[in-house]
Amino acid sequence: MSSLDLGIVGNGTYGALIDKWARIVWCCLPRLDGDPVFYSLLNGKNAEDEDDARGYWGVELENAATSRQYYRHNSAVLVTEVTDKDGNTIEITDFAPRFMQRERIFQPMTLVRRVRPLEGTPRIRIRVRPGFNYGAEKPIITRGSNHVRYLHSGLALRLTTNAPITYLLDETVFNLTGPVSFILGPDETLSDGIEDTARRFEERTDDYWRRWVRRLALPLEWQQAVIRAAITLKLCCYEETGAIVAALTTSIPEAANTERNWDYRFCWLRDAFFVIRALNSLAEVETMENYLRYLGNIVGNAKDGHLQPVYGIGLETDLTESLVDTLRGYRGMGPVRRGNQAYEHFQHDVYGNVILAASQSFFDERLMKQMTKADFERYEKVGERAYAMHDQPDAGMWELRTRAHVHTSSSLMCWAACDRLARIAEHLGLQERARHWRKLADEVHQTICTRAWNEDLDAFADSFDGEGLDAGLLLMTEVNFLKPSDPRFQATLAAVEKVLRRGNHMFRYATADDFGVPRNAFNICTFWYIDALARVGRTDEAREIFESILACRNSLGLLSEDTDPATGELWGNFPQTYSLVGIINAATRLSRKWEEQI
């Protein structure tokens, strides 16, 4: 049965998900949001067991009994060891090449698999079964002297290998007496030998990631959790444009049989802001520079100041949602969706998230390109839209599809846009503009305090004049709207935890939406709760909850979007950047200081 105990390999161009038996079960090409060439993760309960099943790449050890999977230390190189019932063992090493070459990052659309015997005389079978058009079409297969081509209109993949081509094509079981390598990528001839190329790519990729990690400013505690989260966030960046996807997958349900199945292979401006802020806290500013390039194009192309909450990774504005009838869904739980209707939504928090993302670039002297007055004036247009929308109804950050309210969290981010523009203007010496934006920020602040406060709840409500609660209210101190010591925030925190906390997990809200009442906890909300507890001085409790959610990660240290609070099982799209951001933020806030230890 499919699970989210998966590893990820990638290089900023594409990503692949690999299960504990070394089957590649998900991989979109030629980029992160492309056609899933390997898709068995979404093709039913046990798709690989069917004789004619497609959409996966397996390295199968005959009579396999146990497996062990791990990442190389501080690296994105994934290793899977599989042992049969007689003790014969193989090692599969998977990675996407990424390293410096000719003074730039070499990151081809290439997947490398290296297989070698560790113990005994293992017998293996290689099954390479790609598909195209979301499983609707089989490839045309042609054979070369040491390669196989998988052809489809618009994409030609070449698998180059020193394994016997006949065994590969016929899926014949054979004795693995020495190492073999597989290089899947564009239909191009290798300039060097297969084994030499695979070995060199592995060594240089491993070295690249170790050096990348060495530059991070890590907290004292939970370093391995932070490192794995940071590497995985980096793998969710599409570096050609600077976009950051919310997750690598589509249609992993938020809970079993709920139809809460969404396509997350796009760039939500909200999620991306939190990603770059988390990486910035580790001194990794390159991602911010790349994302600001992407964001500058978004703002430059905006019509009438309107911003969508989500865009394609190539700046696409039309992400029309449709159902895919050729795939049965995760564990058979359809539907499978392609595209996301949220691009049509009005979500007014987006304006604040854009300004928040850009703010650091006006103050940070490390950046290659310093922001100027002209940049500020462009972002002022975003601020004008934020002010205009701060008291207008929208779909909210939870993307309600059939109802609109004036959501407090959206207004909160509109305030943040005005507040940060005031600070930027003051930093640039633009005193008149600083006074203008401070006046607007104060006005929005007063409106929220008046319209969102509910005396009966003794807390801020989730919407103006509303009666509900949601976890987004916990962000009030994170964006400096209120101080943690403010009695109104402390009362709101108490109300939110009373209504939304389930064990050590936090729900985003507890009322019915378009699909009923949510059944699983939203992981980022738990991290917001941890942060709020730490800010109000409940540090021991925050550390306890943090440890409990770390225990919910899969065997490789990764998190998805949601967790079943009763079982700890992961649900929702994977790996979820928002959740990984939470790991970094919580570890950074809760860790003991270096000077306290050494």
Side-chain angles (χ1 to χ4, degrees), residues 258-484:
T258 59
E259 295 193 16
R260 296 175 182 269
N261 302 6
W262 318 115
D263 191 348
Y264 277 8
R265 298 170 297 163
F266 308 113
C267 185
W268 270 261
L269 303 187
R270 175 192 312 115
D271 300 44
F273 155 63
F274 283 101
V275 169
I276 65 167
R277 194 180 67 166
L279 290 176
N280 285 349
S281 73
L282 303 178
E284 208 293 297
V285 298
E286 181 184 28
T287 302
M288 178 176 68
E289 291 181 307
N290 289 337
Y291 176 66
L292 288 176
R293 174 167 48 89
Y294 175 83
L295 195 60
N297 284 315
I298 293 290
V299 172
N301 294 336
K303 296 180 180 179
D304 303 321
H306 169 68
L307 293 177
Q308 298 175 190
V310 56
Y311 292 83
I313 63 175
L315 302 177
E316 296 86 356
T317 56
D318 187 345
L319 307 177
T320 302
E321 184 176 305
S322 60
L323 301 184
V324 177
D325 59 10
T326 51
L327 299 177
R328 291 171 289 185
Y330 180 75
R331 299 185 186 175
M333 299 173 187
V336 172
R337 302 182 196 267
R338 179 182 184 180
N340 198 301
Q341 186 199 356
Y343 84 95
E344 298 178 319
H345 290 182
F346 290 92
Q347 295 178 28
H348 298 150
D349 66 313
V350 66
Y351 302 105
N353 287 306
V354 166
I355 299 299
L356 286 168
S359 293
Q360 181 171 333
S361 60
F362 287 92
F363 297 88
D364 197 330
E365 294 290 341
R366 294 173 297 174
L367 303 186
M368 298 291 288
K369 179 184 180 299
Q370 296 295 309
M371 289 291 189
T372 65
K373 179 182 176 183
D375 295 306
F376 171 72
E377 290 171 350
R378 280 192 290 272
Y379 282 109
E380 279 194 296
K381 296 178 182 178
V382 177
E384 291 167 2
R385 185 74 173 177
Y387 173 73
M389 295 293 106
H390 81 272
D391 58 356
Q392 299 301 304
D394 72 346
M397 68 189 305
W398 307 124
E399 301 183 340
L400 300 176
R401 295 193 167 206
T402 60
R403 286 172 288 171
H405 301 287
V406 182
H407 289 93
T408 304
S409 57
S410 296
S411 296
L412 175 67
M413 289 301 173
C414 290
W415 168 83
C418 298
D419 175 76
R420 296 326 191 259
L421 285 170
R423 299 186 191 193
I424 295 168
E426 185 172 358
H427 176 71
L428 295 176
L430 306 173
Q431 297 304 322
E432 187 278 328
R433 300 311 296 163
R435 288 190 294 271
H436 169 76
W437 287 111
R438 179 54 55 204
K439 177 177 179 295
L440 297 186
D442 290 345
E443 180 183 334
V444 177
H445 196 286
Q446 183 59 44
T447 300
I448 294 172
C449 291
T450 302
R451 296 284 306 280
W453 182 259
N454 184 306
E455 291 289 350
D456 294 333
L457 291 174
D458 189 30
F460 286 99
D462 59 357
S463 60
F464 283 14
D465 307 316
E467 300 177 349
L469 294 163
D470 75 28
L473 298 167
L474 299 175
L475 294 173
M476 285 186 160
T477 57
E478 184 160 336
V479 298
N480 297 319
F481 182 83
L482 293 178
K483 294 183 181 299

Side-chain angles (χ1 to χ4, degrees), residues 157 168 287 332 383 488 504 550:
L157 297 176
L168 177 65
T287 302
R488 293 169 297 179
N504 281 340
L550 287 179

Side-chain angles (χ1 to χ4, degrees), residues 7 24 27 40 78 183 277 416 427 509 562 570 573 592:
I24 298 176
C27 181
S40 64
L78 182 66
I183 301 175
R277 194 180 67 166
H427 176 71
Y509 47 81
D562 306 271
L570 297 179
N573 282 306
R592 290 171 292 139

Side-chain angles (χ1 to χ4, degrees), residues 40-332:
S40 64
L41 182 66
L42 293 185
N43 206 25
K45 295 182 179 180
N46 295 291
E48 297 92 337
D49 295 337
E50 301 175 12
D51 289 340
D52 63 345
R54 304 205 66 79
Y56 70 99
W57 179 355
V59 178
E60 302 172 2
L61 177 64
E62 192 173 49
N63 299 316
T66 62
S67 70
R68 182 172 80 99
Q69 195 170 53
Y70 59 93
Y71 280 105
R72 293 267 176 80
H73 183 67
N74 293 355
S75 176
V77 176
L78 182 66
V79 179
T80 310
E81 296 177 2
V82 184
T83 302
D84 69 18
K85 61 183 181 61
D86 296 318
N88 300 299
T89 303
I90 62 171
E91 177 191 81
I92 304 100
T93 302
D94 289 299
F95 64 95
R98 180 183 173 92
F99 48 84
M100 293 299 297
Q101 182 167 282
R102 296 175 182 173
E103 299 184 355
R104 63 176 182 172
I105 294 289
F106 176 68
Q107 49 187 150
M109 188 193 72
T110 299
L111 175 64
V112 180
R113 313 200 78 182
R114 305 190 70 197
V115 185
R116 68 186 183 101
L118 290 184
E119 295 288 343
T121 306
R123 290 171 54 78
I124 68 169
R125 184 199 315 268
I126 308 297
R127 297 189 195 268
V128 185
R129 295 182 172 185
F132 294 96
N133 193 18
Y134 287 77
E137 300 176 36
K138 295 182 179 181
I140 298 171
I141 300 176
T142 65
R143 171 177 177 159
S145 57
N146 60 359
H147 67 266
V148 177
R149 289 189 183 92
Y150 302 93
L151 306 175
H152 179 261
S153 58
L155 185 64
L157 297 176
R158 177 188 290 224
L159 178 61
T160 305
T161 181
N162 54 355
I165 297 295
T166 297
Y167 295 165
L168 177 65
L169 290 174
D170 294 343
E171 298 183 350
T172 302
V173 177
F174 65 95
N175 293 333
L176 183 67
T177 57
V180 294
S181 294
F182 304 85
I183 301 175
L184 179 69
D187 189 15
E188 300 169 355
T189 303
L190 294 180
S191 58
D192 296 314
I194 297 166
E195 198 66 29
D196 287 343
T197 299
R199 183 182 64 253
R200 178 168 54 85
F201 280 9
E202 178 184 347
E203 291 171 352
R204 297 194 65 181
T205 298
D206 199 39
D207 180 69
Y208 169 86
W209 285 110
R210 288 172 184 267
R211 291 178 181 276
W212 185 83
V213 168
R214 190 174 65 177
R215 298 196 301 268
L216 299 180
L218 295 174
L220 175 63
E221 297 181 88
W222 303 291
Q223 289 192 10
Q224 283 304 310
V226 170
I227 288 169
R228 186 51 50 202
I231 289 175
T232 308
L233 287 179
K234 192 69 173 175
L235 298 183
C236 292
C237 300
Y238 184 62
E239 292 190 338
E240 181 179 333
T241 65
I244 304 168
V245 297
L248 294 183
T249 57
T250 176
S251 305
I252 309 296
E254 295 179 12
N257 299 305
T258 59
E259 295 193 16
R260 296 175 182 269
N261 302 6
W262 318 115
D263 191 348
Y264 277 8
R265 298 170 297 163
F266 308 113
C267 185
W268 270 261
L269 303 187
R270 175 192 312 115
D271 300 44
F273 155 63
F274 283 101
V275 169
I276 65 167
R277 194 180 67 166
L279 290 176
N280 285 349
S281 73
L282 303 178
E284 208 293 297
V285 298
E286 181 184 28
T287 302
M288 178 176 68
E289 291 181 307
N290 289 337
Y291 176 66
L292 288 176
R293 174 167 48 89
Y294 175 83
L295 195 60
N297 284 315
I298 293 290
V299 172
N301 294 336
K303 296 180 180 179
D304 303 321
H306 169 68
L307 293 177
Q308 298 175 190
V310 56
Y311 292 83
I313 63 175
L315 302 177
E316 296 86 356
T317 56
D318 187 345
L319 307 177
T320 302
E321 184 176 305
S322 60
L323 301 184
V324 177
D325 59 10
T326 51
L327 299 177
R328 291 171 289 185
Y330 180 75
R331 299 185 186 175

